[in-house]
Amino acid sequence: MFVFFIIFLYNKKERKVEMGEEILLKNIREKEWTRKEKFFVLAIIPIYFIIAGLVMQPLDTIIPGLVNLILEPDFLITDYFVIGGVGSALINAGLLTLISIITVYSMGMDMDGHTITSACLMFGFSLCWKKSNEHLDNSSWCMALCPLS
């Protein structure tokens, strides 16, 4: 009987914690976020990867790695982790994503799912290739057949 009483008290305590978490999640979901808060939360992602890049690679190799990323001729798929190092690649992707988020914010656009998707795409493609316009000379016929929307 004593064991059942302890289990009952433990479950009662656990229910209070679960109710507290539910109330917290409910408050977060129902909160009206300002535009500035939304963009700040989105900017946490690239800031995190910039910090991770600074931690993963020695500081004296990050700047030469970023220079290598800029000067290295790249093709359609180029691994920036190999060219500049893991830290430089993450810093490069984080900076480009942060610049794109700041650009969207400064244009006065609202935050929606497309903004989040484009920021994540910008981060992902910042790890692969940077000069997609090099390939336009060879495939300019594709631009004529595929009009921009």
Side-chain angles (χ1 to χ4, degrees):
M1 185 71 169
F2 181 71
V3 173
F4 292 116
F5 182 70
I6 291 176
I7 291 172
F8 173 75
L9 288 178
Y10 179 75
N11 286 339
K12 189 174 181 181
K13 181 180 178 184
E14 190 174 290
R15 273 189 228 126
K16 285 183 183 177
V17 171
E18 287 176 3
M19 286 177 50
E21 289 174 356
E22 289 175 10
I23 291 171
L24 178 65
L25 289 175
K26 185 178 178 183
N27 288 341
I28 290 173
R29 288 184 190 132
E30 292 178 357
K31 180 181 188 257
E32 288 295 323
W33 293 77
T34 64
R35 183 173 170 273
K36 189 175 184 178
E37 290 172 337
K38 291 177 186 177
F39 276 96
F40 178 74
V41 169
L42 184 60
I44 290 174
I45 298 169
I47 290 170
Y48 168 78
F49 282 103
I50 291 170
I51 293 170
L54 290 170
V55 171
M56 287 184 176
Q57 192 171 347
L59 291 175
D60 58 340
T61 61
I62 288 176
I63 299 297
L66 287 171
V67 170
N68 283 341
L69 289 178
I70 294 169
L71 297 179
E72 182 76 22
D74 54 352
F75 300 102
L76 187 58
I77 297 176
T78 303
D79 190 4
Y80 282 2
F81 289 113
V82 174
I83 293 173
V86 176
S88 296
L90 290 177
I91 291 171
N92 176 52
L95 287 174
L96 288 175
T97 307
L98 204 57
I99 290 169
S100 68
I101 291 170
I102 290 170
T103 302
V104 171
Y105 180 78
S106 65
M107 291 173 61
M109 299 174 69
D110 289 330
M111 170 77 72
D112 60 357
H114 299 292
T115 311
I116 298 167
T117 304
S118 62
C120 293
L121 282 171
M122 182 62 107
F123 180 80
F125 286 120
S126 296
L127 294 173
C128 296
W129 62 86
K130 63 183 178 297
K131 300 176 193 169
S132 61
N133 60 356
E134 290 177 353
H135 309 289
L136 291 179
D137 295 334
N138 298 332
S139 61
S140 57
W141 59 272
C142 182
M143 294 300 286
L145 296 176
C146 306
L148 300 174
S149 57

